Amino acid sequence: MTIDIIPIEHMQVVYDRPEALACNHTHYCPGCTHSIAHRLVAEAIDELGLREQTILVAPVGCSVFAYNYFTVDGCEAAHGRAPAMATGIKRVSPDKTVITYQGDGDLASIGIAEIIHAAARGEKITTIFVNNAIYGMTGGQMAPTTLPNQKTTSSPSGRDIASTGAPLKISELLAQIDGAVYVVRRSLHDVKHIRQAKKAILTALKVQQAGLGFGLVELLSTCPTNWGMTPVDAMHWVETAMMPYFPLGDYKIADSVHKLG
Amino acid sequence: MAQGTIVIDQDRCKGCELCTTVCPQGVIAMDMMALNAKGYHPAVLQDPQHHCTGCAICAVICPDVCITVYREIPQPRKNKLEEVTSHGA
């Protein structure tokens, strides 16, 4: 059977780089899902037309240069203090959309106080929490979210929960706080889940636009380099090892968020 | 099925191979004969039979936003466009 070949000039573009994502090459390792998370945030910003009024607060960690990768205004917070800085920005400019983008070393370790109190105060900011169960930038040390028996450079025999405690489940923790109105966990390990994560980020930004309260989207992510895996194996590990411990789901959706539709 | 194609910006590609594992038509491969400026074997579209449907699944998973996806314009819309063009002329 012969088919008529349609030249590319007669086709329409159905997927291209979002405008809110800068053209810079990222410094992330091959297969790192940080870049996927960046793209989803940028797409959500574009779809809501918020590019000119968004301020992104970058963390310390692998995503420390996040402000270079978006075409929105941004600033860099001290380690773990992104929610505190975002609080100040949002209170001074309540008409802006303020997003903090934080990893698990930043948010769940040194910045745990800031995130809990930002949620407790019901700050009208959105936090994108990238959980890859390890400290990426500093060379693969154990994080508060490292799984039991997971080998890292600072737990070479595997995480011993008898001496180091069990991994923190941040979404479950923050869902207990009244000021948090939208807390969900999604994963970036395959196309279906990436699309679900995008919807969650869109909802979280709408929650902020409506001024309902604190919103957080936790994204299970990979760190192929420090896990010592190929990117493809790392995606599989998220599904088989991380998801049983960090179940995906909607941990807090306040009635006011349901009314948004 | 709709015809489509992709354009891979090979200079951005870091050779993670994720696109090759998700393509439903299996038309993306790694170009083991080429190295890009970063030193990786980049992904390449190998689609002599024009099986690509422009589903964009590869672009959704590509961490480095290397892939632009094109798809044929759906027929009814194409006819409308032609109508508009011919009326305009």
Side-chain angles (χ1 to χ4, degrees):
Chain A
M1 191 186 79
T2 56
I3 51 166
D4 294 331
I5 307 304
I6 301 169
I8 194 167
E9 303 80 46
H10 295 166
M11 292 188 183
Q12 58 183 344
V13 175
V14 290
Y15 203 98
D16 201 2
R17 167 178 293 274
E19 203 182 353
L21 198 64
C23 287
N24 305 350
H25 289 219
T26 65
H27 69 284
Y28 300 119
C29 302
C32 174
T33 45
H34 259 310
S35 315
I36 298 179
H38 281 21
R39 195 187 65 228
L40 299 185
V41 173
E43 285 175 3
I45 290 172
D46 277 0
E47 282 179 30
L48 297 174
L50 297 173
R51 195 167 68 85
E52 295 291 334
Q53 49 166 315
T54 296
I55 300 172
L56 181 93
V57 184
V60 171
C62 281
S63 48
V64 65
F65 296 128
Y67 51 80
N68 281 336
Y69 300 144
F70 291 89
T71 56
V72 302
D73 283 332
C75 57
E76 173 62 50
H79 202 355
R81 273 58 178 172
M85 185 177 251
T87 297
I89 295 170
K90 186 70 181 184
R91 288 191 177 199
V92 170
S93 306
D95 55 325
K96 302 291 184 197
T97 301
V98 183
I99 303 172
T100 75
Y101 184 102
Q102 302 177 262
D104 48 345
D106 189 79
L107 183 144
S109 184
I110 192 169
I112 190 80
E114 278 73 16
I115 196 70
I116 285 179
H117 285 285
R121 295 191 303 269
E123 297 295 344
K124 294 167 184 61
I125 60 172
T126 305
T127 294
I128 308 299
F129 170 43
V130 177
N131 177 2
N132 60 6
I134 207 162
Y135 285 143
M137 183 184 73
T138 48
Q141 291 84 5
M142 190 182 81
T145 45
T146 294
L147 298 182
N149 302 318
Q150 183 184 341
K151 288 182 181 171
T152 69
T153 51
S154 56
S155 58
S157 311
R159 179 175 186 167
D160 173 19
I161 57 169
S163 64
T164 62
L168 276 179
K169 296 182 174 181
I170 295 293
S171 289
E172 288 88 331
L173 186 71
L174 293 177
Q176 309 303 316
I177 298 173
D178 288 345
V181 295
Y182 187 71
V183 181
V184 299
R185 183 183 287 127
R186 298 289 185 265
S187 172
L188 299 176
H189 74 276
D190 66 17
V191 172
K192 177 183 150 194
H193 287 89
I194 290 171
R195 289 194 164 130
Q196 289 170 351
K198 160 89 176 291
K199 277 187 190 163
I201 294 170
L202 264 174
T203 307
L205 292 182
K206 286 179 188 165
V207 165
Q208 180 176 168
Q209 275 188 301
L212 302 181
F214 178 80
L216 178 136
V217 180
E218 175 174 350
L219 301 171
L220 298 186
S221 297
T222 65
C223 183
T225 301
N226 288 306
W227 291 354
M229 296 178 195
T230 66
V232 176
D233 290 344
M235 291 296 208
H236 186 63
W237 195 79
V238 169
E239 189 178 10
T240 55
M242 283 183 79
M243 272 168 55
Y245 197 89
F246 296 112
L248 306 185
D250 302 335
Y251 288 94
K252 177 87 166 272
I253 298 186
D255 291 342
S256 55
V257 177
H258 280 300
K259 285 177 193 154
L260 271 181
Chain B
M1 270 201 285
Q3 265 189 62
T5 191
I6 58 170
V7 174
I8 300 173
D9 184 349
Q10 292 193 321
D11 277 345
R12 300 189 76 91
C13 181
K14 293 175 184 164
C16 70
E17 303 186 9
L18 291 176
C19 55
T20 65
T21 63
V22 297
C23 177
Q25 303 293 331
V27 292
I28 310 176
M30 306 312 291
D31 189 349
M32 301 313 281
M33 300 304 288
L35 281 176
N36 66 11
K38 294 180 196 287
Y40 298 112
H41 295 300
V44 65
L45 177 71
Q46 289 181 339
D47 190 18
Q49 305 290 322
H50 298 277
H51 285 160
C52 178
T53 60
C55 68
I57 285 176
C58 53
V60 171
I61 206 157
C62 174
D64 293 288
V65 204
C66 308
I67 303 175
T68 308
V69 184
Y70 296 80
R71 192 186 298 153
E72 68 177 275
I73 301 168
Q75 210 60 38
R77 195 174 156 199
K78 197 167 141 191
N79 290 343
K80 261 186 202 165
L81 276 178
E82 278 165 8
E83 254 178 52
V84 171
T85 323
S86 59
H87 281 302

